[in-house]
Amino acid sequence: GLGVEVYKGKFTQNLNTMGHVALEGFYLVVYQNSNYGMQVCDHVIRPEMEASFDLLDFSKAQKLFDIGYEKGKIWAKNFVENE
């Protein structure tokens, strides 16, 4: 199968508050889950992401989908041509 990874992890050394520690733990769980999912894919697309994207900013969900979709179309065209 084909996987699209649009979240590459956002890790910080700022662990000064319980909120930062909890958020970092959440990011690590998402990162590990994503890593597992990518390992079971035959092909993975990892588009470049803008630094402004944040895992918890759902207002950018459509933009993330569009990035993966456009990169997927390019991959599919190249994959079909090379088969």
Side-chain angles (χ1 to χ4, degrees), residues 29 35 42 80:
V29 169
N35 264 351
D42 298 318
V80 170

Side-chain angles (χ1 to χ4, degrees), residues 38-78:
M38 294 301 111
Q39 290 174 10
V40 298
C41 295
D42 298 318
H43 304 275
V44 177
I45 299 170
R46 288 186 171 97
E48 290 299 314
M49 298 300 298
E50 298 172 17
S52 65
F53 284 107
D54 189 303
L55 178 65
L56 299 176
D57 185 356
F58 299 109
S59 69
K60 296 181 180 171
Q62 184 62 49
K63 177 77 171 160
L64 289 172
F65 175 84
D66 294 342
I67 289 169
Y69 180 76
E70 291 303 318
K71 293 294 183 181
K73 288 192 321 188
I74 293 167
W75 175 87
K77 182 178 183 237
N78 292 333

